[in-house]
Amino acid sequence: MEQYEPERLSAPQLAAMRRSLTDGRGALTRRSLLRASGMGALALGGLGTLSACGIPPAKREGDTAAASDDHSAAEKRINFSNWTEYMDVSEDEKSRPTLDAFMKRTGIKVKYTEDINDNVEFFGKIKPQLAAGQDTGRDLIIVTDWLAARIIRLGWAQKLDHANLPHAFANLSPQFRTPDWDPGRAYSYPWTGIPTVIAYNAKATGGRKVDSITQLLDDPKLKGKVSFLSEMRDSVGMTLLDMGKDPGSFTDADYDAAIGRLQKGVDRKQIRRFTGNDYTADLSKGDIAACVAWAGDIIQLQADNPDIKFAIPAAGYITSSDNMLVPAEARHKTNAEKLMDYYYEPPVAAQLAAYINYVCPVDGVAAELAKIDASMASNTLILPDKAMAAKSRAFRSLSAEEETAYEEKFAKLIGA
């Protein structure tokens, strides 16, 4: 097997990852707040460590993981690793209703482990086995899009058999069907979506709606009471959209123009600061009147403060995703595919969405969710309507060189 030297992490990449883990989405807990989805580099404990310790990845980039022997028929089980509080739990907290129903229906035993606290830490657990071409002991994992992209590119995910995924294939929402890192969802299916929107405190704005990046950057009544996020893809991606550029196909010149526009907001003191999850307290108090925000935060804040509102810019908004993958050499691929497909059945998807309160990637779930909670079924932060879904855009995958250059420029902008 030909080996190659994996890409090393630059100083800007490392700095960006540290920001994410310290006060960005990587620092947040599951149900109350979101966590990192935007990093394109594997940092502390990640891919750079492979290079440092001399362990080569098992495959060249672009190769497909060879199908391991599938023991699904003889071994009716699945080992499933997920984030904490990312699965529905009964009121007495003694069972997981959807998982229990799957096991009863199929006879497949699921060993469910909440051992993912952030992408980098989790990758540090499984990378030695992946790099050595060994079974990680997990048949199904859920990781954020940037890490899913890297695992697929390195040949460490098994290609899915869509014959085992009829519900997933039919019911996947169009906005999640064609990520540039996995066209046609050959290797992955989303567990949930994570939107970046505009939020504002109606009391702090005097009742005025704030619904565009232009307004955040140019409205004199908001001067000094605006915040953007310290995650590059979110803040730059939203700015690119406002400038009429597609975050999925922008150029270096487009990126520089977006940085320049944000820099003007800093120089004029329109932007109060760039934040991680700590913007939530300031927004609730009204110290920040309007900001770029993560949708999961807003659902939580609105439960306690009716003045907190959100808006989807006419120009569009950024969406990332958490995704199900079958690691290379997993023993129970077919069983894992059956579980993936199960969560694309609308009644099951509704039950999960009602508990975790994130964007559901399953079409046709509204009627089922309304049976559980009508307010959730009408909440577009959980079930985007067609108009909102049409405005969803993903930040394109970056090369290592782009990642380094872009993060360096963003770090200078935010003073990191």
Side-chain angles (χ1 to χ4, degrees):
M1 177 182 297
E2 185 177 355
Q3 298 178 353
Y4 73 102
E5 183 72 7
E7 55 200 60
R8 295 177 182 271
L9 294 171
S10 64
Q13 288 173 318
L14 287 167
M17 180 58 74
R18 290 190 185 101
R19 284 199 310 274
S20 178
L21 293 176
T22 301
D23 66 357
R25 281 186 262 182
L28 309 181
T29 57
R30 255 346 248 171
R31 293 199 71 204
S32 59
L33 300 168
L34 295 173
R35 79 293 158 286
S37 70
M39 297 307 302
L42 300 174
L44 313 174
L47 184 57
T49 308
L50 294 177
S51 177
C53 68
I55 302 175
K59 293 193 170 289
R60 293 174 57 87
E61 295 193 26
D63 285 356
T64 300
S68 60
D69 292 335
D70 191 347
H71 300 268
S72 292
E75 300 175 1
K76 294 290 188 178
R77 59 179 180 265
I78 301 168
N79 295 318
F80 182 5
S81 284
N82 202 349
W83 297 78
T84 58
E85 299 190 73
Y86 222 15
M87 178 66 71
D88 56 300
V89 177
S90 62
E91 290 187 9
D92 61 10
E93 299 185 353
K94 293 182 179 180
S95 65
R96 297 184 175 95
T98 58
L99 270 183
D100 292 346
F102 173 81
M103 289 189 282
K104 183 177 180 179
R105 179 200 293 185
T106 63
I108 298 171
K109 183 178 180 180
V110 180
K111 181 182 178 182
Y112 184 76
T113 308
E114 295 180 327
D115 60 346
I116 307 180
N117 293 307
D118 68 67
N119 288 289
V120 175
E121 179 186 49
F122 179 67
F123 188 76
K125 294 178 183 179
I126 64 175
K127 65 175 170 43
Q129 292 93 342
L130 290 172
Q134 299 172 352
D135 180 12
T136 66
R138 298 165 175 86
D139 302 301
L140 187 63
I141 62 175
I142 293 181
V143 294
T144 305
D145 46 15
W146 64 266
L147 179 53
R150 191 63 59 91
I151 289 173
I152 292 169
R153 193 177 77 185
L154 290 170
W156 292 348
Q158 294 195 46
K159 193 170 185 178
L160 300 174
D161 182 351
H162 287 283
N164 295 328
L165 295 157
H167 295 98
F169 185 81
N171 295 334
L172 177 61
S173 173
Q175 75 178 99
F176 295 104
R177 283 190 176 271
T178 56
D180 65 353
W181 49 269
D182 187 16
R185 291 289 180 179
Y187 296 88
S188 69
Y189 271 92
W191 183 255
T192 194
I194 306 170
T196 301
V197 300
I198 291 176
Y200 61 99
N201 184 318
K203 185 176 181 180
T205 65
R208 293 183 305 118
K209 183 177 183 179
V210 180
D211 60 3
S212 72
I213 297 298
T214 292
Q215 196 173 354
L216 289 179
L217 291 175
D218 297 337
D219 187 342
K221 294 182 179 179
L222 296 176
K223 184 175 182 179
K225 293 187 175 183
V226 168
S227 70
F228 279 71
L229 294 168
S230 57
E231 297 280 359
M232 179 268 286
R233 285 166 174 77
D234 294 306
S235 287
V236 175
M238 292 289 280
T239 304
L240 283 166
L241 282 167
D242 192 71
M243 297 169 63
K245 303 296 182 179
D246 183 356
S249 60
F250 63 90
T251 65
D252 287 348
D254 295 333
Y255 183 89
D256 289 344
I259 290 290
R261 191 169 182 210
L262 288 167
Q263 186 66 58
K264 289 180 180 178
V266 172
D267 294 342
R268 296 197 310 266
K269 301 188 185 304
Q270 179 78 7
I271 299 175
R272 183 188 185 100
R273 60 193 181 102
F274 290 82
T275 74
N277 62 295
D278 50 327
Y279 74 86
T280 56
D282 286 343
L283 179 64
S284 189
K285 290 187 296 184
D287 293 340
I288 290 175
C291 61
V292 176
W294 294 309
D297 295 356
I298 306 311
I299 294 174
Q300 299 295 326
L301 290 175
Q302 287 179 328
D304 298 318
N305 187 343
D307 291 323
I308 303 302
K309 312 291 183 182
F310 78 93
I312 303 300
Y317 66 102
I318 296 292
T319 299
S320 56
S321 58
D322 283 338
N323 307 274
M324 297 180 279
L325 295 175
V326 178
E329 305 303 326
R331 289 177 62 87
H332 311 112
K333 174 175 176 283
T334 298
N335 291 345
E337 290 168 338
K338 290 179 180 178
L339 184 60
M340 294 169 70
D341 193 61
Y342 170 74
Y343 278 98
Y344 273 78
E345 296 179 18
V348 179
Q351 194 168 349
L352 180 67
Y355 184 82
I356 66 174
N357 294 172
Y358 288 80
V359 169
C360 181
V362 181
D363 263 355
V365 78
E368 296 294 337
L369 187 56
K371 297 176 185 177
I372 301 170
D373 188 324
S375 65
M376 288 185 180
S378 62
N379 188 333
T380 54
L381 294 181
I382 297 174
L383 293 182
D385 56 24
K386 289 184 178 180
M388 180 172 168
K391 295 179 181 179
S392 172
R393 297 291 183 272
F395 199 97
R396 69 173 173 83
S397 299
L398 301 178
S399 67
E401 293 77 14
E402 288 176 323
E403 181 81 28
T404 295
Y406 292 173
E407 287 291 2
E408 184 173 17
K409 292 173 182 179
F410 188 70
K412 289 180 180 177
L413 168 72
I414 69 176

